[in-house]
Amino acid sequence: MKVSPSRQQELLLLSSILRASRPLCARCTHSRSRQSASPLSPPAQRSFSILNRPPPNYPGHVPLTRVERLGLAVGSAITSLTNPYRHDMIAALGEATAQPFFITRLRNRMLSDPTGRRILRDRPRITSKTMSLEKLRRLPEDTVGRTYAAWLDREGVTPDTRDPVRYIDDEEEAYVMQRYRECHDFYHAVTGLPVWVEGEVGLKAFEFANTGLPMTGLSLAAIVRLKPQERQRMFEIFLPWAFANGWRSKDLINVYWEEELETNVAELRNRLGIEQPPDLRAIRRKLKEERRAAKAAREAALMNSTTAAPAPAQSTA
Amino acid sequence: MATAARLPLPLPATTSRAAICAQCRKATLNPFKRRRFASSISSAPEIYDVVTVGGGPAGLALLAALKSSPITSHLKTALIETQDLGRLRQWSSPDDQFSNRASSLTPSSVSFLEKTGAWRHVSQSRVQAYDEMQVWDAANDATLQFDWAADSQRHNAPPQTVATMTENTNLTRGLLERITELGADSALFSSTNVSSITMGKDDANADGDGLNLSMWPVLGLESKSQSQSQSAGSDVSTTIAARLLVGADGFNSPVRRFAGIESHGWDYHRHGVVATLTVQSVPDTRHGGSYSDGDGGFDLFSDEPLPNRATAYQRFLPQLGGPIAILPLPNNRASLVWSTTPQHATYLKSLSPLGQVSMINAALRLSQTDLNYMFTLPASAPDTLDSELRWRLQHTSPPPVARQPPIVTGVQEGSLASFPLRFRHATTLVSPRVALIGDAAHTVHPLAGQGLNLGLADAESLASTIAYAVTHGMDLGDPMVLERYGSDRFGKGLLMAGGVDALNWLYQLGSGGDGVLASFLGRARRLGMKVVDGGLVPGLKGLVMKQAG
């Protein structure tokens, strides 16, 4: 249909009058124009209600409203404090609190570093498929890969126990979270901290200083669950170590672990600027031995003081 | 008495008036008196009413304004320029080549040029008016949209222009042609150096036939050109005395130095990178293409019944030292002005054209983190920059502006250059027989594109002050006369220069890395931008736009 110029002029006038006479619709045209102006921008950035939940930004993504996010954060925090072995809850807490600022900052730190950028480009995943434990066990002593495999064997965990990221809205930031989560075991291996609550809290403090993710800081609340002696050890040894090293060392998120498997652990630690913390297992063993020795001594003293002849098999019972 | 002093007046009248007032001037002018040159000036210098030093747009506009007004056209004027103005007048360029020095002329500047008759001589096929401006900030997602077209539609008024992009050379040529048209070519002292500016000699004697020029600026001129000078082939040196000496001689103004006017300010430690770009506009997805796909699909509810002529884009990059602006030119060309650190400017200049295109496209779209990283890549490998750009675009959401910035497809060969950014403002615009206009008076940050507009407004104001003096029979160089000009322009110039500086300061907040504080400041600024854009404070946006115009 061909519209003559004068007709077009009239239409222009008409449309301007219509525009003036529909103040209610100003908002809807505005939102319409915005929506189509940026078709690529993540839809979850805008607020929505549970009735019109936007489609996921990546497979497995669950867009959350602000209320849902807050509920998830509070709920997962309480659950993981009552049961620290609920790693799914700790993961959910990590995702619920990382947005909007902290995960972006971590991503920017990756983007500022050549290796970090390479990781974001390649997007490697750490699973038992991509990282064959058989091969790692055959590596020479003191390599990162061997240490990692030895650590996995000692703690009885596998790389496949990591949950996929669901609640981070940006697709690239979700990968950063995933990467952090999958590399967590490497941090254990490099620092030598065990998976018990005590070792975990020490490592979380280290990660908090190093990555700035709020979940790692919130996890420090688990200190209240420690026994008094463990707590004292935490404040005197591990927390000072964690903050000093986490702050000073290079960003662990920018380590391309897949390429460092054959590197010497001490050399990598040196390059990153991490001192190895005291071996918690050795401390515990030593303490246990001391306790046992003390107990034996006490019992011996008790034996000497009593006149009755005790059965020699009693101490082993 | 006033009629007797009507200009041009017989010289003895002036000298006697000067003699009466000599005492009051002695105090202010004493320092210069001692600098008097008792040198080669043997004969009495020729006396001009208005001598302008500097043939830039401001100086030429002043001359054109004086010559086009019937009140002031009879004044004896001179304009001294070191460059060959004849070559500037013959400047021409193919339609797809543009000079890298282009400026945004505000509607008031254009109307002044129209009034002087010079705008007709500015090649209209090489200027580009734009009626929309998209401003956004890389540190947050806030945008400012200055859209005259939309505003005027609301009031059912004719569309209005935000500004008009003009090459400085095109403007200069237009002004020169207008001056020729007015028959004022004789006022142009082309290819001429000012060798000295001194106070004149007191030749008044008892007979009363000499002149007391001790309060008058006297300029020693040296003409470089051999062929065009009418008399001899060698360097011609002359001296002229100025009733009013106008300094339009730029940042390092010799006239300002002669007048002893101080200029204060600071260097921004930033460089302005300019270039002429080839751009390809991004198809506008806003209205589903309903309006643009022909007259058949006319959308009654389209936001934009009148086609937008062109759009200017400006993105603030606090971490990289300043904003990048893409200003439209005809034929899918655009002018780049990117304020950034000297290191980054050097890096950009060392890149191959392909690398420059990648960097400019990246600066319009990518995050500051990505840009900072790209500036650390070796300049010798433009492919790396291109691949970084392509990869990052997949993971970066497009700019939050209503109209997407154009894709830069090329940089015109040899057009990328840079210059240091400074802030300077003279402590006064006038002193006895001296007035400063343009960059000689104030040098501003280019982020609002106001430098040339300030200069033209100065010229307009000074021309009207001179006209006022002429109609009231006053001496042009008298401080009382010049004070009218000074009081009109000093405050406005300082306000504009200071306002632009404040804006620059505001947009440098949070540039110190990507820490918590920087991010907080970036977000705080977002709030401010929302206030301006969203109409929370009624009339604020209109005020900003009016000031910019």
Side-chain angles (χ1 to χ4, degrees):
Chain A
M1 178 185 110
K2 182 88 183 141
V3 183
S4 68
S6 63
R7 172 93 181 112
Q8 200 160 346
Q9 282 298 314
E10 284 168 18
L11 281 171
L12 291 181
L13 190 66
L14 182 61
S15 72
S16 67
I17 293 166
L18 278 171
R19 185 170 297 103
S21 64
R22 45 171 187 137
L24 263 179
C25 210
R27 190 182 289 268
C28 61
T29 56
H30 180 65
S31 72
R32 190 184 58 152
S33 70
R34 255 191 81 174
Q35 203 162 7
S36 46
S38 48
L40 291 172
S41 70
Q45 300 262 310
R46 286 198 312 276
S47 57
F48 54 88
S49 81
I50 49 170
L51 297 174
N52 58 348
R53 199 181 293 280
N57 292 339
Y58 55 89
H61 173 223
V62 182
L64 294 183
T65 65
R66 263 177 215 162
V67 178
E68 285 173 323
R69 188 174 294 284
L70 189 70
L72 181 71
V74 173
S76 58
I78 292 168
T79 321
S80 46
L81 192 59
T82 49
N83 182 0
Y85 293 99
R86 284 288 300 273
H87 56 82
D88 57 332
M89 280 297 127
I90 296 176
L93 177 65
E95 292 174 35
T97 54
Q99 283 202 117
F101 169 68
F102 303 96
I103 192 72
T104 312
R105 191 149 161 257
L106 191 60
R107 174 174 78 162
N108 282 346
R109 274 155 77 174
M110 289 184 83
L111 285 173
S112 307
D113 182 86
T115 318
R117 282 179 92 88
R118 221 146 42 79
I119 294 170
L120 283 177
R121 250 192 203 215
D122 301 346
R123 297 211 173 174
R125 296 290 301 265
I126 301 174
T127 61
S128 53
K129 282 195 210 84
T130 60
M131 203 156 284
S132 156
L133 284 179
E134 300 301 316
K135 217 187 283 171
L136 293 184
R137 289 193 191 107
R138 284 200 295 274
L139 286 171
E141 199 74 31
D142 289 335
T143 57
V144 171
R146 178 76 177 266
T147 316
Y148 174 66
W151 185 86
L152 289 179
D153 291 342
R154 194 172 65 179
E155 307 292 344
V157 290
T158 76
D160 294 330
T161 48
R162 297 291 158 201
D163 295 320
V165 171
R166 269 173 299 181
Y167 306 116
I168 301 280
D169 288 332
D170 184 84
E171 161 267 344
E172 192 171 48
E173 286 169 3
Y175 173 75
V176 174
M177 197 72 192
Q178 189 77 42
R179 177 74 184 170
Y180 153 72
R181 195 172 288 167
E182 287 171 356
C183 293
H184 177 76
D185 288 343
F186 272 104
Y187 305 170
H188 272 294
V190 168
T191 57
L193 289 167
V195 284
W196 323 315
V197 175
E198 198 183 351
E200 200 66 64
V201 167
L203 186 60
K204 282 279 189 290
F206 173 81
E207 287 176 0
F208 182 57
N210 197 261
T211 64
L213 287 177
M215 176 269 287
T216 53
L218 292 172
S219 302
L220 298 187
I223 289 176
V224 300
R225 293 181 53 90
L226 296 177
K227 292 178 192 142
Q229 200 185 16
E230 291 175 337
R231 201 177 302 153
Q232 192 193 353
R233 203 154 57 205
M234 182 58 65
F235 279 115
E236 281 175 2
I237 302 173
F238 289 102
L239 284 188
W241 165 83
F243 282 106
N245 279 277
W247 195 260
R248 210 175 41 204
S249 70
K250 295 208 178 95
D251 289 321
L252 258 68
I253 195 83
N254 289 335
V255 177
Y256 211 134
W257 297 102
E258 290 83 346
E259 294 175 354
E260 306 284 358
L261 293 174
E262 289 172 31
T263 318
N264 186 290
V265 162
E267 189 198 311
L268 180 68
R269 242 183 249 132
N270 205 18
R271 193 176 351 130
L272 294 173
I274 305 172
E275 298 163 2
Q276 194 171 18
D279 189 348
L280 194 55
R281 273 173 195 279
I283 293 175
R284 281 219 191 178
R285 206 178 305 127
K286 204 173 150 205
L287 280 175
K288 209 180 258 176
E289 274 163 16
E290 271 173 19
R291 224 179 307 144
R292 202 174 293 156
K295 199 179 170 191
R298 211 164 47 231
E299 275 168 3
L302 200 73
M303 241 189 317
N304 292 344
S305 65
T306 50
T307 47
Q314 215 174 355
S315 64
T316 53
Chain B
M1 167 125 183
T3 44
R6 186 81 189 263
L7 286 173
L9 69 169
L11 286 166
T14 322
T15 40
S16 65
R17 192 200 52 79
I20 292 166
C21 206
Q23 270 177 335
C24 57
R25 279 147 190 240
K26 220 160 217 166
T28 54
L29 286 179
N30 217 17
F32 310 116
K33 208 171 176 184
R34 269 184 272 119
R35 277 206 256 154
R36 177 155 57 152
F37 242 49
S39 65
S40 55
I41 308 170
S42 50
S43 60
E46 198 176 353
I47 292 178
Y48 282 81
D49 291 318
V50 181
V51 175
T52 308
V53 180
L60 290 172
L62 175 67
L63 182 61
L66 290 176
K67 285 295 171 190
S68 63
S69 158
I71 303 167
T72 49
S73 59
H74 65 273
L75 292 178
K76 190 171 178 187
T77 52
L79 186 141
I80 299 139
E81 167 61 43
T82 39
Q83 287 187 61
D84 184 3
L85 290 170
R87 205 173 325 136
L88 292 177
R89 191 185 288 119
Q90 279 148 24
W91 170 83
S92 73
S93 167
D95 281 349
D96 55 352
Q97 301 262 311
F98 286 88
S99 154
N100 59 5
R101 297 304 298 267
S103 306
S104 265
L105 293 179
T106 57
S108 66
S109 295
V110 172
S111 103
F112 164 58
L113 291 169
E114 273 169 351
K115 224 161 39 188
T116 61
W119 190 243
R120 280 184 286 121
H121 297 275
V122 174
S123 169
Q124 294 299 311
S125 64
R126 300 184 68 85
V127 306
Q128 177 70 56
Y130 59 92
D131 36 32
E132 192 180 69
M133 196 162 175
Q134 301 283 354
V135 182
W136 71 110
D137 185 352
N140 56 51
D141 61 355
T143 57
L144 278 175
Q145 188 179 344
F146 294 111
D147 185 354
W148 274 121
D151 213 44
S152 51
Q153 272 166 42
R154 205 162 298 141
H155 304 114
N156 224 355
Q160 209 171 347
T161 314
V162 175
T164 306
M165 280 301 288
T166 317
E167 295 158 283
N168 292 3
T169 44
N170 191 7
L171 177 60
T172 306
R173 184 183 60 175
L175 287 164
L176 282 168
E177 279 177 1
R178 173 62 179 160
I179 289 165
T180 309
E181 187 186 53
L182 291 164
D185 265 348
S186 57
L188 299 175
F189 286 62
S190 178
S191 310
T192 304
N193 277 333
V194 176
S195 56
S196 65
I197 309 176
T198 52
M199 283 297 168
K201 285 194 293 184
D202 183 1
D203 282 343
N205 50 31
D207 307 335
D209 53 357
L211 298 174
N212 180 357
L213 291 179
S214 59
M215 307 299 168
W216 288 47
V218 171
L219 292 85
L221 304 182
E222 268 174 25
S223 172
K224 285 183 294 186
S225 68
Q226 277 107 29
S227 56
Q228 277 162 25
S229 91
Q230 57 275 57
S231 53
S234 63
D235 280 10
V236 186
S237 48
T238 42
T239 54
I240 57 171
R243 195 182 300 276
L244 170 61
L245 176 63
V246 179
D249 41 359
F251 175 72
N252 287 317
S253 167
V255 171
R256 192 180 62 215
R257 221 174 311 132
F258 159 76
I261 298 172
E262 282 189 65
S263 180
H264 295 291
W266 48 83
D267 292 356
Y268 286 109
H269 302 296
R270 295 284 183 272
H271 275 226
V273 178
V274 293
T276 305
L277 310 174
T278 312
V279 294
Q280 185 190 336
S281 61
V282 176
D284 191 5
T285 51
R286 259 206 302 188
H287 319 296
S290 53
Y291 181 72
S292 50
D293 62 7
D295 30 13
F298 181 75
D299 180 5
L300 204 59
F301 290 99
S302 156
D303 271 342
E304 203 181 347
L306 291 167
N308 178 61
R309 282 174 290 176
T311 308
Y313 301 88
Q314 181 153 347
R315 186 187 192 205
F316 285 98
L317 300 162
Q319 288 182 29
L320 283 105
I324 178 170
I326 303 283
L327 300 149
L329 289 170
N331 288 336
N332 283 332
R333 296 298 189 279
S335 179
L336 168 82
V337 186
W338 186 354
S339 319
T340 188
T341 58
Q343 295 84 354
H344 288 171
T346 313
Y347 179 83
L348 286 171
K349 281 188 280 187
S350 69
L351 283 173
S352 68
L354 181 68
Q356 290 167 350
V357 167
S358 298
M359 282 311 286
I360 294 163
N361 275 317
L364 289 170
R365 291 170 184 87
L366 295 189
S367 76
Q368 298 185 84
T369 313
D370 286 326
L371 287 168
N372 271 324
Y373 177 79
M374 285 170 82
F375 271 113
T376 64
L377 292 172
S380 50
D383 295 346
T384 334
L385 291 175
D386 187 56
S387 96
E388 288 288 329
L389 171 66
R390 281 171 198 281
W391 168 54
R392 288 316 299 165
L393 279 177
Q394 295 165 18
H395 301 289
T396 311
S397 48
V401 284
R403 198 185 295 277
Q404 289 297 300
I407 296 166
V408 177
T409 55
V411 176
Q412 187 177 304
E413 207 184 322
S415 70
L416 195 127
S418 78
F419 55 92
L421 303 186
R422 303 176 174 117
F423 176 94
R424 291 285 189 281
H425 205 285
T427 48
T428 171
L429 301 186
V430 295
S431 81
R433 300 210 179 278
V434 173
L436 302 176
I437 63 173
D439 276 3
H442 28 57
T443 308
V444 301
H445 195 287
L447 80 82
Q450 291 302 325
L452 182 57
N453 291 309
L454 274 178
L456 291 177
D458 289 344
E460 182 175 20
S461 172
L462 185 57
S464 77
T465 299
I466 292 171
Y468 179 88
V470 170
T471 48
H472 290 74
M474 297 158 89
D475 178 3
L476 293 184
D478 191 279
M480 296 294 277
V481 169
L482 294 177
E483 200 44 56
R484 282 177 67 86
Y485 163 69
S487 64
D488 178 32
R489 290 304 303 166
F490 184 78
K492 285 179 189 165
L494 196 59
L495 189 70
M496 177 57 79
V500 172
D501 182 64
L503 203 62
N504 175 60
W505 177 82
L506 187 69
Y507 276 100
Q508 285 293 297
L509 280 181
S511 60
D514 55 355
V516 182
L517 187 67
S519 164
F520 173 75
L521 289 169
R523 272 148 206 272
R525 187 166 59 232
R526 165 172 179 260
L527 204 70
M529 280 175 88
K530 287 247 188 261
V531 168
V532 173
D533 194 49
L536 256 154
V537 182
L540 181 60
K541 191 171 169 184
L543 194 74
V544 172
M545 286 170 75
K546 218 165 278 166
Q547 283 301 313

